[in-house]
Structures are given as C-alpha cells and as structure tokens.
Amino acid sequence: MIRYKVCFAVLALSLSVQAQSAATDADKRVAKKLYERMTGVKAASTKPELIKVVELISQGKRLEAARYITTTPDFLNVQIKNFSIRLSNKDDSVNFAFNDFAALVAGVVRDNKDFRDILTADYYYDISGVPNDDDQRTRFLNQTNFSQVETGFVDLTKALTYHPRQQLVVSAADSPFTQSQRSTPMITLGNNPEPAGIFSTRTFAERALSGGTNRRAVEYTMNQFLCVTMAEAADSNASDQYIGRDVERFPAGDYNKFLTSCKSCHSVMDAMRPAFGKMDYEKSLNGTATGTYTQTNGTFFNENKISDSYSAFLKNIFQPVIANIIPDLEINQENSLYYKTRYDFLISRGSTPAAATAALMPILNSIRDPKIATDLIADFRAKKQSVLADIRLNLASADYKTTYVATCLNNLSNKALTADVQEEKFLLCNLDNKKEFSLIYAHYEAILTAKNTVATEQTRLLGKLINRGRPSPGNLTPAYLQAKEQSMLYPSNSFDSETGIATKLNKGSYAYGFVVKSDTFVNNATLGSKSTFFGWRGGNKTGGKGIKDFGRMISESRRFSQCMAKKVYESVCGRKLASTQYSTLVRLGDRFEAVNYNLKGLYQEVALDPVCGLVKE
C-alpha cells in the first residue's frame, strides 16, 4: 500500500511538472503576477503554490486559480493580515502591530463568514500557540496575545481561534505573574451585553473612544468602512437638534459661523454618536490611576456592580495600608513591612540580593530616619544655643518670620511646652518647611563636610534628611500590595449610574444642547442626494439603538460594499480607483454582494476584473 501511495505521489508530481512544461511564458507571467498581487508575497518559480497556479492558468481555469490562491497561507498571513491591520487604524497603515480588531477581520476571512459580521458579530478571535496564551490578560488588558503574530511568524491559518462571545473585564490581578504560575484565575470576565464585531474590540476603543466625546468613533467608521470623510457626510440641511452641549453655538460671537462651519458636520456626527454612548476606554484603577487601560460598557459596569467592588477593595485592602506605610518606613527603614515584602518579592522574581537592594534604596533614601533627625536636633541645641537665643529675642521680627517660618516660631513662645520641647518642635518644623534652607540641614552639611564625606554620599544623606523625592503613600501602596498579591485592577467609573451613558458625552455648558440619555441614535445623512450617495438599506437605515444596530446600518449600505471593493482593488491592482471610475466601483461593490459578502470572493473578482489588468495576456 505504501508503495502504491508513493507511486501515485510521483505520478501526480510528474503530471504537474508536465502541465507546467506545457504552460506558455505568458501563462507563467500571468500566474506569477496573479499570485504575487493577491498574496503580497514574491514567489520563486519553484514555489509549489505558484506551480499549481501556473497549471490552472495553462488550463484556462483562471477563476479556479484565483480561488486556490485565497486558500494559501500566504494570502491570509500577508495579504489579509496587512488588510486587517490597515483597517484597524485611521492612517490606513501596515506599520501597526497585529491586534484583536485585525484578528477578528482575519478570522472572518479565513472562515468564509459574511464580511458584514466584522461590524455586528457576537464572536471574537484570538491567537493560540503563543507564549502565555492561557493568560486572558494578554487579550483584555493589553495586546500581547496578538502582537506576537509578527514577532513570532505565526501562521494565522492555524493559530486564529474562534470564541462565540465577546467579553469584558470585571477585575484583574495586578500582578507580573502569569496565569501558568498561579492556580486561580488572574482575571474575571463577563459577557459583553452588546458585542458588535470590531466596534467592541480593545483596539477600536483605544483608537476611537479614548478621551474626547466618542465623535471620533463616528468619523473613524465613515473613513474606514464607508471610505467617506466627515466633510462628505456633512449635511447643512439636517436638523441640529442632536448637537451636543459642548459645541459652541456662537464661535467668535458669530452664530452664522456655527451655521456655516459647524452645523453641517455635527448634525450628522452628533446624531450618530449616541450609538457609542455606553462605551469608554479609561485607565484601570488599583487605588490610583494606572498605565493599564480597560475598555468597558456602561450597562456592563453597572450590572456587575464594579463600583461597589472597587469601593470594597479600597476600604478593606488599600486604605488600611496607605495609612501606615510611610510611618512604618520612617521608623523601621530596612525592617519595615514595605521594604521586607518588596525585597522578598523581587528575589522571588529572579533578582539578586544586590539588585533587590539597589531597587529599593532610592525609596529609603527619600524617607528620613527620625532617629537621625532627633540626634541632629539634640546636637544643634547643644552647640548652637546662641543661635536659638537670638531667634527667641526676635520672634516678632518680620524678617525672622520669613526666614524661619512664622508658624514654626510660634513653638518657641508656646508656654504649654518646656523650653527643650519648644526648641525641638521649632527645629523640626523649620526642617520640614525650609528643607535645604533650614538650620538642621546647614548643621548636618557642616558635619558631613568636616568628616570629608564624599560628595555623592553627602548628597544622599542630605536628601534623605529632607525627604527629597519622597513618594506619596498612594504611590507606594500598589507596589506593596502587588508584592503581597493583593493588588487588583478595576475599570474606571465613567458612567451614569442610571443610564449607563459615559458622562463625557454630556460635558459642555450650552443649556440647549442635546443631552445623551440612551444609546438610541439617528441617521441624519439621509436627506436628498445623501440617501443615494450612501445607499442606506435595511431595518436600521434611519437609526437604531446601540452599536450593533449602528453596525447593521453601516454594513447593509451600498457604500460599505463599495468601500471594501475599493480597498481590495487598491491592494491587489496596485493603484487607486480614479474618481472617473465610479461605475467600476459600483460594479465591484455589486459583485461583493453577489458573492454573499465573502471577502475571498471579492479578491477573486477584483483580481480577474479586466480593469485591474492582471490577466490581460
């Protein structure tokens, strides 16, 4: 049996070689151009996939050849990867890392799904077979799971993994340990109540929902999925009733300027942006704002009681630590809970004792040792009584009040205190307020100089005395809790507790501006020629509720089909469609719909279209 299989394989290879030998030079040129343009990969004549394409072309099977090309790894790993990356950024550039947005687009193409799903799908794709792929934080708190596609030369035909429901973060462990290093889940997730394809990906949130008032999401959608600028979508005849409170109605005191420069764009944009009203992308909290961002949804945030969970974390874990962390460091220094806990943590993470000590010393060097201050005050009092006596004689002097701080001088006249305590409190107060211009600082500097202390050490000791660079308790506490594996990350509360609308949508002071109270949106780009220009169709052509309806409105328009055809044409044919080629754009958009919105089918149609010019020979 094995011998028969070998024979058949040799026979098949022989026939393939014969077919290639029978192919003309023109067939080979067409095959090479078709393969390279459709995949974006330069192909040697010995490449097996190209040999197959040559064979099909020589048989006059051009459509079969194009179909075959869309099944090759090169097509998905280069052409579609680059297409999806370009779609995921407003610059339409490939110079961005692979991400969750791009993974969804590539997954839809690989699995031959309706391409309109990219704007409405409940599902998502991630990457399997890369380091830490079991740690969900690499998907929901950063893009590490996806960015490894390029650095690790991952084959998307195998690595893209389908998941039926998009999710959002409830809370996560603020820890450098990976999931494989811990037995309990490092993140708590919940189903996104309104998934909508790429609109509910982290990448879209980062690039269209961070800051601002979510208008950028509408503009991004127009540019990337309809190939339309906001200027082209603008309509001066549309109602301005949905324009937000933050849009100036009298720019430079001129209402006519609003009517001519602002109204036409905002009438369309502001009527659509409530679709994104329950979405935001903000810094996660662990007792303070972190550098880790989280996307979330107002309904999800309220239903999961994330605000209550965060309040409980603050009350039971964060605040008890923050109250004691600095006093403990001051009194116990290297023996403080913070120092010992962080030291052990660093050692457990692979640091050497010397490296761990070096990492922690800057903190100790910014926190005064109270014993040193007490000793210096005692030494000053013993040696500088004449200075103190002079100050006592001039308590009412304006110059002295400025030089030594009036509130500090009050200690020297406080009859409730003994003379010794008066001076101790005065000197400590002066040290805290005047820092390097204080009496104790100058006294200590003189002592160190007399001892010939090297400059760097003198700087360190003097800085420690005045708490130079001392961190706040709020900055130290997260690191301490992280070392104890008690630090947690929570999405920020940026939503109305009743409506779930992101509060940023209603900022502004114009009393008669529209207040967003729900995610119901209106399509104001439907008047006159705008309706034909966009080709609105379907049940949501005039508006709807939430991003899924918004995605349907966009994806069911003729303009969506034409925009995708335009992007594919430019990618495969190597040139832009001229404005005079509108009929070609319409025809290719119609062909996309005719192949049931299958993007592979669109690539095949475009590559073989005479206007593209790849198969003229």
Side-chain angles (χ1 to χ4, degrees):
M1 178 61 73
I2 293 176
R3 184 168 60 185
Y4 289 141
K5 287 182 179 180
V6 171
C7 289
F8 281 128
V10 171
L11 178 60
L13 178 61
S14 176
L15 291 173
S16 177
V17 171
Q18 290 176 25
Q20 189 179 23
S21 299
T24 66
D25 288 343
D27 291 335
K28 293 177 182 178
R29 285 195 297 271
V30 168
K32 182 175 176 63
K33 182 181 287 187
L34 192 66
Y35 187 87
E36 291 182 348
R37 288 291 186 84
M38 289 186 70
T39 63
V41 175
K42 293 291 183 182
S45 60
T46 56
K47 189 178 180 70
E49 292 88 346
L50 181 57
I51 292 172
K52 176 68 175 177
V53 175
V54 170
E55 178 185 340
L56 292 170
I57 292 294
S58 69
Q59 296 170 4
K61 298 178 180 179
R62 290 179 172 179
L63 180 57
E64 287 85 348
R67 285 175 178 165
Y68 169 73
I69 291 171
T70 60
T71 67
T72 64
D74 282 346
F75 177 72
L76 192 69
N77 289 329
V78 180
Q79 180 66 255
I80 294 303
K81 184 192 73 174
N82 289 341
F83 178 89
S84 64
I85 290 174
R86 285 197 299 269
L87 205 58
S88 74
N89 68 87
K90 66 181 179 62
D91 298 326
D92 205 43
S93 169
V94 297
N95 297 319
F96 286 81
F98 195 72
N99 51 68
D100 59 342
F101 179 131
L104 177 59
V105 173
V108 166
V109 176
R110 185 196 68 178
D111 295 344
N112 294 302
K113 294 181 180 293
D114 186 323
F115 198 68
R116 291 174 295 181
D117 279 7
I118 67 167
L119 302 184
T120 61
D122 292 349
Y123 55 82
Y124 73 100
Y125 287 84
D126 62 11
I127 306 299
S128 297
V130 294
N132 296 325
D133 64 354
D134 62 335
D135 195 331
Q136 294 282 22
R137 293 174 302 170
T138 64
R139 298 154 179 81
F140 294 97
L141 295 183
N142 55 59
Q143 296 280 351
T144 307
N145 176 258
F146 304 96
S147 61
Q148 297 177 83
V149 163
E150 292 170 281
T151 57
F153 304 101
V154 173
D155 183 359
L156 293 176
T157 63
K158 300 174 182 177
L160 281 169
T161 304
Y162 169 90
H163 299 275
R165 185 60 182 264
Q166 294 185 11
Q167 295 182 300
L168 293 171
V169 176
V170 176
S171 63
D174 180 21
S175 170
F177 293 104
T178 63
Q179 183 61 68
S180 61
Q181 295 172 315
R182 292 295 177 265
S183 59
T184 56
M186 302 293 278
I187 192 168
T188 301
L189 303 169
N191 286 340
N192 187 336
E194 191 174 17
I198 60 88
F199 288 137
S200 40
T201 61
R202 178 182 175 84
T203 298
F204 182 83
E206 176 187 356
R207 294 172 185 173
L209 302 173
S210 175
T213 55
N214 289 4
R215 291 184 177 95
R216 197 162 69 252
V218 177
E219 182 180 22
Y220 186 108
T221 301
M222 291 287 175
N223 287 339
Q224 292 298 78
F225 303 114
L226 299 180
C227 298
V228 170
T229 66
M230 279 310 304
E232 291 174 303
D235 189 348
S236 60
N237 295 315
S239 168
D240 64 357
Q241 74 178 94
Y242 298 106
I243 298 180
R245 302 174 65 190
D246 59 325
V247 177
E248 178 61 59
R249 287 351 187 244
F250 296 89
D254 186 356
Y255 182 64
N256 285 326
K257 190 172 183 179
F258 163 75
L259 292 176
T260 57
S261 302
C262 309
K263 176 181 177 293
S264 57
C265 276
H266 280 285
S267 292
V268 174
M269 187 187 300
D270 286 27
M272 290 182 180
R273 73 173 176 137
F276 299 93
K278 294 186 176 183
M279 302 174 67
D280 205 1
Y281 183 79
E282 292 284 351
K283 289 182 176 181
S284 298
L285 305 176
N286 63 357
T288 186
T290 70
T292 300
Y293 283 76
T294 311
Q295 63 165 134
T296 195
N297 170 286
T299 298
F300 178 87
F301 187 92
N302 292 338
E303 288 181 349
N304 283 276
K305 301 184 184 304
I306 294 174
S307 184
D308 291 346
S309 298
Y310 183 58
S311 294
F313 166 77
L314 291 177
K315 179 182 178 181
N316 299 323
I317 297 177
F318 192 83
Q319 289 168 352
V321 171
I322 205 170
N324 297 308
I325 195 164
I326 291 292
D328 183 40
L329 268 166
E330 287 177 330
I331 295 170
N332 295 304
Q333 299 281 308
E334 291 93 336
N335 293 315
S336 65
L337 283 174
Y338 178 89
Y339 187 96
K340 291 193 294 185
T341 302
R342 286 292 298 171
Y343 181 88
D344 291 344
F345 171 76
L346 292 171
I347 295 297
S348 73
R349 297 287 299 162
S351 290
T352 63
T357 300
L360 291 168
M361 282 311 294
I363 294 173
L364 283 188
N365 287 336
S366 69
I367 296 176
R368 178 193 305 153
D369 184 339
K371 184 179 185 305
I372 297 295
T374 299
D375 290 346
L376 285 169
I377 288 171
D379 189 62
F380 184 92
R381 290 184 60 244
K383 298 176 179 177
K384 303 285 186 177
Q385 272 300 316
S386 60
V387 174
L388 291 171
D390 175 69
I391 294 172
R392 284 183 181 277
L393 290 173
N394 292 280
L395 293 179
S397 167
D399 288 342
Y400 276 56
K401 288 180 179 180
T402 300
T403 302
Y404 300 112
V405 184
T407 54
C408 296
L409 291 174
N410 291 337
N411 287 294
L412 293 174
S413 60
N414 188 344
K415 295 181 179 180
L417 305 175
T418 65
D420 291 350
V421 175
Q422 286 178 349
E423 291 174 358
E424 290 167 357
K425 285 185 173 294
F426 161 69
L427 290 169
L428 184 60
C429 178
N430 177 249
L431 174 62
D432 287 336
N433 283 274
K434 299 299 288 187
K435 305 288 184 182
E436 57 264 62
F437 302 106
S438 66
L439 293 167
I440 295 301
Y441 185 95
H443 184 62
Y444 195 26
E445 187 174 31
I447 292 173
L448 295 172
T449 301
K451 291 181 177 179
N452 294 318
T453 306
V454 296
T456 53
E457 178 65 1
Q458 184 167 318
T459 299
R460 182 187 76 82
L461 293 171
L462 288 169
K464 186 177 176 69
L465 178 68
I466 60 173
N467 295 319
R468 182 182 291 135
R470 171 169 154 167
S472 70
N475 288 334
L476 290 173
T477 299
Y480 173 75
L481 290 176
Q482 186 183 75
K484 290 178 67 66
E485 296 195 58
Q486 293 180 336
S487 187
M488 297 291 294
L489 294 170
Y490 294 87
S492 295
N493 183 6
S494 55
F495 304 99
D496 184 278
S497 60
E498 295 182 3
T499 65
I501 295 295
T503 55
K504 66 182 182 180
L505 269 72
N506 292 316
K507 67 180 184 181
S509 58
Y510 183 65
Y512 301 104
F514 185 72
V515 176
V516 180
K517 296 181 179 179
S518 75
D519 56 357
T520 298
F521 67 95
V522 173
N523 183 359
N524 259 351
T526 59
L527 299 177
S529 62
K530 293 296 180 186
S531 180
T532 304
F533 177 72
F534 285 102
W536 302 116
R537 298 175 294 191
N540 294 113
K541 64 182 179 181
T542 60
K545 183 176 176 60
I547 52 172
K548 190 178 284 289
D549 282 355
F550 183 79
R552 291 192 187 101
M553 180 187 78
I554 298 298
S555 64
E556 291 176 2
S557 70
R558 292 197 71 190
R559 192 75 192 181
F560 173 78
S561 303
Q562 294 165 7
C563 181
M564 295 304 106
K566 178 177 182 292
K567 289 178 180 292
V568 170
Y569 179 92
E570 293 173 356
S571 179
V572 173
C573 306
R575 60 183 180 277
K576 292 186 178 295
L577 270 172
S579 58
T580 56
Q581 293 178 289
Y582 180 70
S583 61
T584 299
L585 179 65
V586 171
R587 177 167 50 79
L588 293 176
D590 289 345
R591 292 305 303 156
F592 186 32
E593 295 179 13
V595 296
N596 298 316
Y597 295 91
N598 184 294
L599 199 73
K600 289 181 183 176
L602 177 59
Y603 268 90
Q604 296 157 20
E605 294 286 340
V606 169
L608 298 177
D609 192 279
V611 175
C612 188
L614 297 185
V615 292
K616 286 182 177 179
E617 297 184 77

